[in-house]
Amino acid sequence: MHWSLGEIAEEYGGSVCGDARMRVRPTDTRATDPSGLAYAERASALERMAGVGAFLLPRALTGVDRPHVHVDDPRGVFHRLLGELDRRATPAPPPGIHPTAVIDPDCDIDPTAYVGPYTVVERGAVVGPRTRIHPFVYVGPNCHVGADSVLHPHAVLRQDVRLGERCTVHPGAVVGGEGFGFTPTPAGWRRVPQVGGVRAGDDVEIRALASVERATCADTVLGDGVKLGDLTCVGHNATLGDHTLLVPLSGVGGSATLGRRCVLGGGSGVFDHTTLADDVRVGAHGTVTRDIDTPGDHTGTPARPLARQRRLDALLPRLPDLLERIRRLEERLDGGR
């Protein structure tokens, strides 16, 4: 799918510099594509885009000799064009239930919803308006899927899961599986029954192979706009505040509480029963072992404020020399006694 520069300018309130009839399509910044369209927010970024045919640029960036469209938010406009391509590539299937789907008679599926082949919807489940459930999905007992949500192939809502509106669960993700609860006994580990559920707000996205455990009691909670990356894990009874984001391979222990707009970098983790304030960001491979009550960037194991960790990193290579100085000083002091 292509747009002319003039069409983009008209749709997004921009102005064209160059041929308004030139037709373009979104492309990668490293591509060699005379019909490609990329965005840049600084002049220095243009140097890495020698093969791109045209640009979306902020209005303040002038003097560019290649065709471009000045807009208020180049990144935002580019993402909206990608969204339009995505909608054209994956049109919504028509409403209805595929004849191979296995549907319990004691469930409620809105007539505007789509339920794909070989899907299973169990007793007490509710599927909201315009929801799309793709093939091989399992919707377990007493699960509730809000309006305009999408469950991709092989997603699992195991039991007692409540998703808000416009939620997306990607392939292989498991929401509402039994929490990892065991207690030691003289005879070995004894399983702790997990009888709670999962409650997610609106606009939640759970990417491929992520896991959200149901609570021991009550609910594991994901606030509005929470985003969970691939291969992330949220333990039983954890609470994630609105718009918190977990980068792939990060994890949250059971009964931990993360505030609003927190970010966990790749491979990072939060210990169980730990609390993070709003706007805490943990760098890649950081480990949170105790409560963090101030917003900002933290990193390391255990996680510390970024500025403090950088000072420690700077001192570490000098540690042998510092220890040797201390040893010599102690020798001189001992010799003077």
Side-chain angles (χ1 to χ4, degrees):
M1 181 178 181
H2 290 68
W3 294 267
S4 71
L5 296 182
E7 289 170 340
I8 294 172
E10 181 178 359
E11 178 69 21
Y12 299 105
S15 57
V16 179
C17 294
D19 184 2
R21 297 170 298 176
M22 179 181 180
R23 300 193 67 78
V24 294
R25 58 180 176 237
T27 191
D28 184 77
T29 58
R30 297 164 295 182
T32 300
D33 185 355
S35 298
L37 177 73
Y39 73 90
E41 296 172 315
R42 296 178 301 276
S44 58
L46 296 171
E47 299 172 3
R48 302 189 297 272
M49 305 181 193
V52 176
F55 301 100
L56 296 167
L57 302 178
R59 299 184 191 277
L61 184 52
T62 59
V64 177
D65 58 2
R66 279 182 282 174
H68 57 275
V69 180
H70 280 133
V71 291
D72 292 330
D73 180 11
R75 183 196 300 256
V77 171
F78 187 82
H79 290 170
R80 290 172 70 178
L81 293 173
L82 291 178
E84 183 63 28
L85 283 177
D86 186 48
R87 283 189 292 274
R88 298 291 179 91
T90 55
I97 300 173
H98 194 274
T100 62
V102 179
I103 309 297
D104 191 283
D106 185 21
C107 70
D108 182 6
I109 299 177
D110 190 276
T112 63
Y114 164 75
V115 179
Y118 304 104
T119 285
V120 176
V121 182
E122 297 279 23
R123 170 185 51 83
V126 177
V127 177
R130 300 172 301 281
T131 286
R132 288 176 282 159
I133 300 180
H134 290 282
F136 298 101
V137 169
Y138 178 82
V139 180
N142 303 313
C143 291
H144 185 289
V145 185
D148 299 297
S149 294
V150 180
L151 307 183
H152 287 285
H154 297 285
V156 173
L157 307 186
R158 175 64 183 83
Q159 181 178 329
D160 298 312
V161 174
R162 187 176 185 88
L163 298 180
E165 298 183 355
R166 301 176 301 280
C167 292
T168 304
V169 183
H170 287 262
V174 178
V175 185
E178 187 168 284
F180 189 74
F182 296 89
T183 188
T185 72
W189 294 102
R190 184 180 72 235
R191 169 180 164 269
V192 177
Q194 311 287 307
V195 299
V198 174
R199 175 165 50 88
D202 298 335
D203 302 298
V204 169
E205 184 154 351
I206 301 171
R207 302 305 292 258
L209 301 176
S211 173
V212 182
E213 298 175 349
R214 70 175 180 264
T216 307
C217 301
D219 288 320
T220 301
V221 178
L222 308 179
D224 291 342
V226 165
K227 312 297 182 188
L228 305 181
D230 305 73
L231 294 165
T232 53
C233 180
V234 178
H236 55 270
N237 291 94
T239 297
L240 275 58
D242 295 349
H243 306 292
T244 283
L245 182 145
L246 272 58
V247 175
L249 296 172
S250 59
V252 176
S255 299
T257 300
L258 277 62
R260 294 172 296 175
R261 300 177 299 277
C262 290
V263 177
L264 299 187
S268 63
V270 176
F271 273 30
D272 54 324
H273 299 276
T274 303
T275 299
L276 275 61
D278 294 345
D279 300 300
V280 170
R281 296 176 296 274
V282 181
H285 301 288
T287 305
V288 178
T289 60
R290 61 191 67 154
D291 293 355
I292 297 177
D293 55 11
T294 55
D297 296 329
H298 295 71
T299 188
T301 302
R304 305 177 181 89
L306 180 60
R308 182 182 176 195
Q309 183 63 44
R310 283 177 171 170
R311 289 196 295 270
L312 291 173
D313 290 342
L315 286 171
L316 189 60
R318 300 170 54 194
L319 186 58
D321 182 55
L322 292 173
L323 291 174
E324 178 64 19
R325 286 179 164 185
I326 292 171
R327 186 188 65 80
R328 292 175 181 176
L329 179 59
E330 288 175 340
E331 287 178 350
R332 288 199 298 270
L333 291 174
D334 289 341
R337 291 175 182 170

